[in-house]
């Protein structure tokens, strides 16, 4: 790499703080975007102000959260007035710094910025510490290459996080579709208490040992009997984090608190109201006093159905809230859990949900592993890149304008909110009916399915390309359509094919892009029939 003159950040930028602006709900033609903390991360909620005095940011500026819990958060590629907790870092005219490169570099300094922040309770960026950050000695063209390379990985990381959120949203939608008051047969389902779903033997609902019966000093890092606590359920799924054990001798005193496969555990202290199902491969284990455990009557209750209901069913959450004097999840005890009411659907319906839950969990595990790998890759490459140790000869050189326009396009697609003309289950059914096992027929199948989908689409319905494609793909992946135990019916290659088909529809004029001034979003619609074919 060709080296440039070493310099600190303070010699390359000027700093200007923002101010408090009034947000307008009916922006005038002269109104400008107001950029706050959340806007540094995404464009999910765009706000405007008619107050046209203040510090204005351009696409070439780097923005930093200066005060508060998010101090040190970095954003760039945005224009508008910045709020009072934001500062603008503007690159001086005589300095060759590529804005995305500088933004990515400063993101890597987040820990340093937090460690050097001032303020005992509310962190404030230390200006001297910020300005003293040494800049990488990398020429301008290689800065563009670095930003291009790391931007690709950042986009994949964002996509994986979006996939994980989509799977959570899908599961919630499926639960509500199957078990909300609008579900078929809901009015006929019996209203029961959670204790009515427990097995009929003594101790089917229990908490862990209290007081001196089990002390932290008795825990070991290895042993014969595992001890489960809040950390095993706090993610609303069973997870092994810190491993705690007791001796077999101690277990003989506490065997009434044994945990069994398919038990439902609920956090009742600390982080309250989280729930998980004990896996089949659990070793011999007991629970602590921070958990309630429920062994169910499997003839009438599915563990995954009950666990999900406890942490996500609005009917149950409202009961928790009302019994805790309006402070949701301020405290739980075994008696409150026992008396909590819910509708009991037929066991076959509960098991159908449990099967979908397991398949979605498998998908989440795959995406989480991929996300972890991508984050590790980004960390390793960024460290090398900012030290000038990467061979960038094979990385294509993109102009600054091209990079920024791509970034804006990606943001516009991410912020598009589609109005799907079908429910999740209906969309799945359409794909199931159209599915063919032959790999060489996939592209033709996808093209036919998309054509049929657009034909059935309401003329005034909006179609957000990125979210629609990801949603359709996730729905099919989630139910793991398989042929003779083979791979799922739709793969990553099929996802890319769907995206290409959408762009072909745009080029052919079958789909058109419109800008909705009310939502400030780019939307896709079918081309009106009076525009010709």
């Amino acid at each position: 790499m060709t080296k440039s003159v070493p310099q600190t950040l303070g010699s390359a930028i000027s700093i200007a703080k923002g101010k408090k602006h009034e947000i307008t709900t009916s922006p005038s033609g002269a109104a400008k975007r107001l950029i706050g903390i959340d806007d540094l991360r995404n464009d999910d909620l765009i706000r405007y102000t008619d107050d046209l005095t203040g510090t204005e940011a351009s696409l070439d500026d780097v923005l930093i959260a200066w005060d508060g819990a998010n101090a040190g958060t970095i954003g760039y590629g945005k224009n508008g007035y910045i709020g009072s907790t934001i500062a603008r870092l503007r690159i001086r005219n005589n300095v060759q710094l590529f804005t995305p490169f500088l933004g990515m570099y400063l993101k890597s300094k987040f820990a340093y910025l937090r460690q050097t922040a001032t303020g005992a309770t509310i962190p404030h960026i230390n200006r001297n510490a910020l300005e003293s950050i040494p800049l990488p000695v990398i020429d301008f063209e290689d800065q563009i290459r670095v930003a291009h390379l790391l931007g690709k990985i950042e986009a994949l990381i964002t996509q994986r996080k979006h996939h994980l959120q989509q799977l959570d949203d899908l599961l919630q939608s499926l639960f509500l579709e199957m078990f909300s008051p609008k579900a078929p047969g809901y009015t006929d389902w019996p209203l029961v208490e959670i204790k009515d779903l427990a097995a009929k033997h003594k101790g089917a609902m229990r908490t862990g040992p209290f007081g001196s019966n089990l002390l932290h000093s008795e825990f070991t890092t290895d042993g014969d009997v595992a001890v489960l606590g809040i950390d095993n359920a706090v993610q609303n799924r069973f997870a092994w984090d810190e491993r705690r054990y007791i001796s077999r001798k101690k277990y003989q005193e506490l065997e009434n608190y044994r945990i069994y496969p398919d038990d439902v555990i609920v956090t009742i202290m600390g982080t309250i109201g989280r729930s998980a199902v004990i896996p089949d491969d659990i070793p011999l284990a007991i629970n602590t006093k921070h958990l309630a455990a429920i062994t169910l009557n499997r003839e009438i209750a599915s563990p995954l159905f009950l666990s999900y209901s406890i942490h996500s069913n609005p009917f149950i959450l409202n009961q928790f809230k009302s019994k805790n004097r309006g402070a949701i999840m301020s405290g739980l005890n075994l008696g409150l859990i026992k008396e909590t009411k819910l509708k009991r659907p037929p066991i076959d319906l509960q098991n159908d949900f449990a099967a979908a839950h397991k398949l979605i969990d498998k998908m989440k595990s795959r995406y989480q592993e991929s996300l972890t790998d991508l984050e590790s890759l980004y960390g390793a490459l960024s460290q090398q890149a900012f030290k000038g140790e990467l061979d960038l000869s094979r990385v294509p050189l993109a102009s600054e304008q091209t990079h920024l326009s791509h970034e804006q396009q990606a943001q516009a697609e991410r912020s598009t909110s589609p109005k799907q003309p079908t429910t999740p289950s209906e969309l799945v059914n359409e794909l199931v009916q159209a599915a063919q096992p032959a790999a060489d027929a996939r592209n033709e199948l996808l093209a036919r399915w998309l054509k049929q989908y657009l034909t059935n689409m309401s003329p005034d319905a909006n179609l957000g390309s990125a979210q629609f494609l990801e949603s359709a793909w996730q729905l099919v992946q989630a139910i793991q359509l398989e042929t003779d135990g083979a791979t799922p019916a739709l793969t990553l290659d099929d996802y890319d094919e769907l995206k290409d088909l959408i762009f072909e529809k745009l080029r052919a004029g079958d789909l058109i892009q419109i800008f909705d001034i009310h939502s400030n979003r780019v939307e896709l619609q079918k081309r009106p029939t009076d525009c010709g074919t």
Side-chain angles (χ1 to χ4, degrees):
M1 294 182 182
T2 304
K3 305 295 184 179
S4 58
V5 179
Q7 55 186 339
T8 60
L9 182 64
S11 65
I13 62 162
S14 61
I15 302 175
K17 289 288 298 295
K19 75 164 196 175
K20 186 175 182 179
H21 289 263
E22 292 294 329
I23 299 172
T24 178
T25 56
S26 301
S28 67
K32 293 201 174 184
R33 182 179 179 182
L34 177 59
I35 300 171
I37 296 290
D38 291 340
D39 300 294
L40 301 184
R41 301 188 182 94
N42 55 60
D43 294 314
D44 291 345
L45 181 60
I46 296 180
R47 300 164 300 163
Y48 292 90
T49 181
D50 281 318
D51 177 5
L52 302 184
T53 61
T55 303
E56 187 172 4
S58 74
L59 297 177
D60 294 326
D61 295 325
V62 173
L63 305 177
I64 181 171
W66 198 268
D67 308 292
N70 296 286
T73 301
I74 299 294
Y76 54 90
K78 302 175 186 293
N79 52 17
Y81 283 109
I82 59 174
S84 59
T85 59
I86 308 292
R88 181 190 70 195
L89 311 183
R90 176 157 288 175
I91 301 169
R92 299 183 189 278
N93 291 333
N94 60 339
V95 176
Q96 278 201 321
L97 268 178
F98 185 47
T99 300
F101 172 85
L102 178 60
M104 292 174 183
Y105 177 64
L106 292 180
K107 283 181 181 180
S108 74
K109 298 297 182 182
F110 180 80
Y112 164 79
L113 292 170
R114 294 304 296 248
Q115 291 167 2
T116 58
T118 60
T121 56
I122 301 177
H124 303 275
I125 293 298
N126 183 320
R127 184 173 184 133
N128 290 334
L130 176 67
E131 291 182 330
S132 66
I133 292 176
L135 292 175
V137 186
I138 300 174
D139 67 36
F140 189 73
E141 288 190 353
D142 278 348
Q143 291 178 32
I144 297 174
R145 291 187 173 97
V146 167
H148 179 74
L149 176 63
L150 296 182
K152 290 286 188 182
I153 304 174
E154 275 190 342
L156 288 173
I157 290 172
T158 299
Q159 185 185 63
R160 291 296 179 268
K161 291 179 178 179
H162 185 54
H163 287 159
L164 288 168
Q165 183 59 54
Q166 279 189 313
L167 289 173
D168 286 336
D169 293 344
L170 171 62
L171 193 59
Q172 177 73 3
S173 297
L174 186 62
F175 181 87
L176 293 175
E177 184 178 305
M178 294 177 71
F179 305 114
S180 75
K182 295 182 179 180
Y186 179 87
T187 55
D188 298 326
W189 300 341
L191 183 65
V192 300
E193 295 180 336
I194 288 179
K195 65 183 179 184
D196 298 326
L197 305 180
K200 298 307 179 184
H201 60 75
K202 183 180 179 181
M205 294 187 70
R206 58 207 179 275
T207 55
F210 283 82
S212 59
N213 291 335
L214 181 61
L215 303 174
H216 281 279
S217 58
E218 297 176 282
F219 294 160
T220 58
T221 56
D222 53 32
D224 301 316
V225 184
V227 181
L228 306 183
I230 292 174
D231 54 310
N232 300 112
V234 73
Q235 301 175 50
N236 286 326
R237 61 177 178 82
F238 186 82
W240 281 114
D241 289 324
E242 178 186 356
R243 300 292 180 104
R244 299 169 295 269
Y245 296 90
I246 55 174
S247 66
R248 176 76 65 166
K249 180 179 179 181
K250 183 64 179 179
Y251 169 71
Q252 292 174 354
E253 303 174 19
L254 305 173
E255 58 184 343
N256 288 339
Y257 304 104
R258 180 177 176 181
I259 292 291
Y260 298 91
D262 286 332
D263 278 356
V264 175
I265 54 176
V266 186
T267 59
I268 58 175
M269 296 184 184
T271 304
I272 295 169
R274 305 297 177 89
S275 181
V277 177
I278 300 299
D280 293 336
D281 59 354
I282 190 75
L284 184 61
I286 65 169
N287 60 301
T288 67
K289 63 182 180 180
H290 300 106
L291 294 177
I294 309 170
T295 302
L296 293 174
N297 177 354
R298 296 299 301 279
E299 293 183 359
I300 61 173
S302 157
L304 279 171
F305 165 76
L306 179 60
S307 176
Y308 194 88
S309 297
I310 287 172
H311 64 69
S312 293
N313 188 339
F315 182 50
I316 289 180
L317 295 178
N318 286 335
Q319 291 178 72
F320 288 161
K321 182 177 180 179
S322 65
K323 293 179 180 181
N324 283 278
R325 299 178 181 178
I328 189 166
M329 301 302 186
S330 62
L332 277 179
N333 57 57
L334 192 60
L336 189 155
I337 295 173
K338 286 181 177 181
E339 296 172 357
T340 298
K341 294 179 173 61
L342 75 161
K343 283 278 194 171
R344 177 172 64 80
I347 187 62
D348 289 345
L349 195 61
Q350 295 181 46
N351 289 337
D352 287 345
F353 174 76
H357 194 307
K358 289 179 180 179
L359 293 170
I360 291 173
D361 280 347
K362 289 180 181 178
M363 284 296 301
K364 288 180 67 174
S365 295
R366 288 168 54 188
Y367 279 127
Q368 188 59 56
E369 290 176 4
S370 173
L371 176 61
T372 300
D373 290 342
L374 286 169
E375 289 176 334
S376 298
L377 175 63
Y378 183 90
L381 286 179
S382 62
Q383 286 186 24
Q384 289 182 286
F386 297 139
K387 292 178 181 178
E389 297 174 353
L390 276 185
D391 179 6
L392 299 170
S393 59
R394 296 185 180 181
V395 179
L397 179 64
S399 69
E400 181 176 5
Q401 183 59 42
T402 300
H403 179 88
L404 290 175
S405 63
H406 286 174
E407 178 67 17
Q408 293 170 59
Q409 180 181 358
Q411 290 171 358
E413 287 189 353
R414 287 194 297 268
S415 66
T416 302
S417 179
K419 299 177 182 177
Q420 298 187 15
T422 56
T423 65
S425 60
E426 288 172 345
L427 181 54
V428 169
N429 288 336
E430 289 180 21
L431 290 166
V432 171
Q433 292 168 5
Q436 295 179 358
D440 57 356
R442 290 176 184 268
N443 291 351
E444 181 183 354
L445 161 66
L446 293 173
R448 289 205 318 269
W449 173 79
L450 181 60
K451 181 179 179 180
Q452 180 181 2
Y453 188 92
L454 294 178
T455 299
N456 296 332
M457 183 177 168
S458 172
D460 57 350
N462 296 325
L463 172 70
S465 59
Q467 290 187 353
F468 163 76
L469 291 171
E470 289 164 0
S471 176
W473 179 67
Q474 288 294 340
L475 288 167
V476 178
Q477 287 279 351
I479 63 170
Q480 294 278 301
L481 299 174
E482 295 185 1
T483 304
D484 299 326
T487 55
L490 290 188
T491 66
L492 285 168
D493 289 337
D494 297 322
Y495 170 80
D496 289 335
E497 178 65 17
L498 271 173
K499 182 179 285 186
D500 290 339
L501 287 169
I502 284 288
F503 290 139
E504 286 179 12
K505 295 293 184 184
L506 280 169
R507 287 191 293 269
D510 297 325
L511 286 172
I512 59 173
Q513 296 186 73
I514 63 169
F515 182 77
D516 188 335
I517 59 173
H518 299 293
S519 63
N520 193 45
R521 289 173 174 171
V522 175
E523 316 234 85
L524 296 181
Q525 286 189 350
K526 281 202 307 185
R527 186 181 187 185
T529 54
D530 58 357
C531 290
T533 57

